């Protein structure tokens, strides 16, 4: 019996299990033939072409939206034209981001995007303003040409700055001049005013033409403007931002042109602050490569550490000179001598005496 048990155990131990049998079948199964190198290269090329197609298609759609806006302006449907311009701006903002996300950034895509910007934000808004507010006006056509040429020059300068690899890191947080999409929306401000408030002095040819020239100068100027890439929302401000988004959505659905006017005014008001921020960081090379949030925190810390401004002391809102007071002459009487008489109030001040009010440093 013991021998029989030992034989049975040894036999069961040597019997292959289901798992071992499955592994043996897998190992002996015929493997599919490997794809040739040329076929894999063809699939990789097709995938690359597909990635390049999506952002380029968005750019083409943006061009079609902008040109269609000119067509519907000629038919008098200005609301549809303004909506198409906004759609072109949104598509222009998406194509570059989609190309970077898909790893499909190419030189050809950059050239197509630049040409689309020249059409959608240079030619389209200028022609819409001309056809709607200055039709058949020779001086209006001159203003239109000035604006279009300025946008083209602005885009050419922007493309040359992209190749500057030696620029400091902080320059990526600012634009030089007003970007082309923002300039297009600002140029359409007279149309927004006419749709919201009706005709007036703001729709006259000199005012509209002067506004186009002003926007053209902003586009080609070297005035710094903030870039949205540098914007960051702290967690504590998220609730307020969502409330602002809700307010903006309500205005967009009820008073879209009022929202447009508010956005343009807010953008123009931010330019002095952007100029001050860029000047501050340009004077401090140690902060050139820092994150914008870190630079803002450093500025707040420096502002808290600075002493207060100089203030002038006053008595009842009147200076000491008006009260007839004078500085002491510096002559101090000895304890055993009578005090020295100072000049009378009505007498003229002695030579060398100062008559300004006393100032004091206030922390």
């Amino acid at each position: 019996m013991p021998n029989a048990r030992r034989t049975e155990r040894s036999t069961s131990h040597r019997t292959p299990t289901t798992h071992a049998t499955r592994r043996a079948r897998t190992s002996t199964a015929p493997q599919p033939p490997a794809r040739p190198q040329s076929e894999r290269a063809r699939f990789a090329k097709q995938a690359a072409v597909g990635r390049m197609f999506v952002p380029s298609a968005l750019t083409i759609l943006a061009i079609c939206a902008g040109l269609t806006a000119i067509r519907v302006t000629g038919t008098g449907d200005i609301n549809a034209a303004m909506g198409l311009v906004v759609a072109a701006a949104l598509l222009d903002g998406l194509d570059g981001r989609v190309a970077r996300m898909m790893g499909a950034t190419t030189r050809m895509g950059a050239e197509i995007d630049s040409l689309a910007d020249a059409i959608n934000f240079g030619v389209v808004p200028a022609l819409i303003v001309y056809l709607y507010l200055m039709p058949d006006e020779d001086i209006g056509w001159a203003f239109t040409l000035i604006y279009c040429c300025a946008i083209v020059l602005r885009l050419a300068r922007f493309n040359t700055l992209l190749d500057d690899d030696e620029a400091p890191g902080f320059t990526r947080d600012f634009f030089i001049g007003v970007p082309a999409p923002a300039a297009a929306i600002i140029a359409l401000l007279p149309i927004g005013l006419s749709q919201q408030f009706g005709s007036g002095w703001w729709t006259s040819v000199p005012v509209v033409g002067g506004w186009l020239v002003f926007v053209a100068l902003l586009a080609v100027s070297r005035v710094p403007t903030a870039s949205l890439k540098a914007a960051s929302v702290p967690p504590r401000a998220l609730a307020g931002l969502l409330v602002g988004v809700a307010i903006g959505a309500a205005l967009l659905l009820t008073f879209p042109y009022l929202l447009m006017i508010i956005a343009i005014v807010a953008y123009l008001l931010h330019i002095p602050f952007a100029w001050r921020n860029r000047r501050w960081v340009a004077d401090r090379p140690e902060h050139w490569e820092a994150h914008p949030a870190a630079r803002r925190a450093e500025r707040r810390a420096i502002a808290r550490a600075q002493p207060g401004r100089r203030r002038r002391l006053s008595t009842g809102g009147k200076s000491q000179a008006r009260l007839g007071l004078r500085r002491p002459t510096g002559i101090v009487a000895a304890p055993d001598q009578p005090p020295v008489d100072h000049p009378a109030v009505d007498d003229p001040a002695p030579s060398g005496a100062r008559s300004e009010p006393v100032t004091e440093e206030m922390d």
Side-chain angles (χ1 to χ4, degrees), residues 14-29:
R14 291 190 180 93
T15 302
T17 60
T18 306
H19 182 65
T21 305
R22 189 177 300 166
R23 284 191 302 175
R25 291 177 180 175
T26 304
S27 61
T28 58

Side-chain angles (χ1 to χ4, degrees), residues 313 315 318-326 355-358:
L313 295 180
T315 304
K318 298 181 180 180
S319 65
Q320 295 180 357
R322 291 179 60 189
L323 293 175
L325 302 179
R326 298 291 184 269
S355 60
E356 302 89 13
V358 180

Side-chain angles (χ1 to χ4, degrees), residues 61-123:
L61 289 176
I63 295 176
C64 294
L67 295 178
T68 307
I70 299 176
R71 180 177 181 273
V72 297
T73 301
T75 61
D77 193 355
I78 191 61
N79 294 326
M82 299 289 282
L84 288 171
V85 171
V86 173
L90 293 177
L91 291 172
D92 176 78
L94 287 176
D95 58 2
R97 287 170 173 80
V98 170
R100 288 188 292 270
M101 290 174 57
M102 301 180 64
T105 54
T106 59
R107 185 66 181 174
M108 179 179 177
E111 294 296 333
I112 295 176
D113 185 71
S114 180
L115 294 175
D117 291 345
I119 295 174
N120 292 332
F121 310 127
V123 177

Side-chain angles (χ1 to χ4, degrees), residues 204-294:
S204 61
V205 174
V207 173
V208 175
W211 182 254
L212 286 179
V213 174
F214 170 73
V215 178
L217 293 177
L218 286 180
V220 299
S221 68
R222 303 192 67 84
V223 175
T225 55
S227 172
L228 291 179
K229 299 177 182 178
S232 59
V233 181
R236 62 179 181 274
L238 183 59
L241 180 62
L242 293 177
V243 172
V245 171
I247 296 174
L251 289 176
L252 180 63
L253 297 175
T254 54
F255 303 101
Y257 291 105
L258 181 61
L259 176 63
M260 171 187 174
I261 296 169
I262 294 174
I264 292 174
V265 172
Y267 185 86
L268 294 177
L269 291 178
H270 104 281
I271 294 178
F273 297 97
W275 176 81
R276 186 188 64 175
N277 294 339
R278 192 181 191 280
R279 183 178 179 183
W280 183 90
V281 67
D283 294 339
R284 293 164 175 82
E286 65 274 12
H287 297 293
W288 283 0
E289 303 299 331
H291 193 270

Side-chain angles (χ1 to χ4, degrees), residues 64-226:
C64 294
L67 295 178
T68 307
I70 299 176
R71 180 177 181 273
V72 297
T73 301
T75 61
D77 193 355
I78 191 61
N79 294 326
M82 299 289 282
L84 288 171
V85 171
V86 173
L90 293 177
L91 291 172
D92 176 78
L94 287 176
D95 58 2
R97 287 170 173 80
V98 170
R100 288 188 292 270
M101 290 174 57
M102 301 180 64
T105 54
T106 59
R107 185 66 181 174
M108 179 179 177
E111 294 296 333
I112 295 176
D113 185 71
S114 180
L115 294 175
D117 291 345
I119 295 174
N120 292 332
F121 310 127
V123 177
V124 171
L127 288 181
I128 290 176
V129 172
Y130 172 76
L131 295 175
Y132 189 73
L133 296 177
M134 301 181 296
D136 302 329
E137 294 285 347
D138 294 338
I139 188 65
W141 182 247
F143 292 141
T144 302
L145 295 178
I146 292 173
Y147 174 82
C148 293
C149 294
I151 295 299
V152 171
L153 293 175
R154 189 261 180 288
L155 292 172
R157 184 179 64 184
F158 176 76
N159 293 335
T160 57
L161 292 177
L162 289 178
D163 300 330
D164 188 5
D165 297 332
E166 299 180 356
F170 76 93
T171 57
R172 295 188 294 268
D173 303 331
F174 301 93
F175 289 115
I176 298 180
V178 175
I185 301 299
I186 296 173
L188 295 173
L189 178 63
I191 295 180
L193 293 174
S194 65
Q195 292 297 106
Q196 183 66 35
F197 304 109
S199 300
W201 58 268
W202 49 85
T203 58
S204 61
V205 174
V207 173
V208 175
W211 182 254
L212 286 179
V213 174
F214 170 73
V215 178
L217 293 177
L218 286 180
V220 299
S221 68
R222 303 192 67 84
V223 175
T225 55

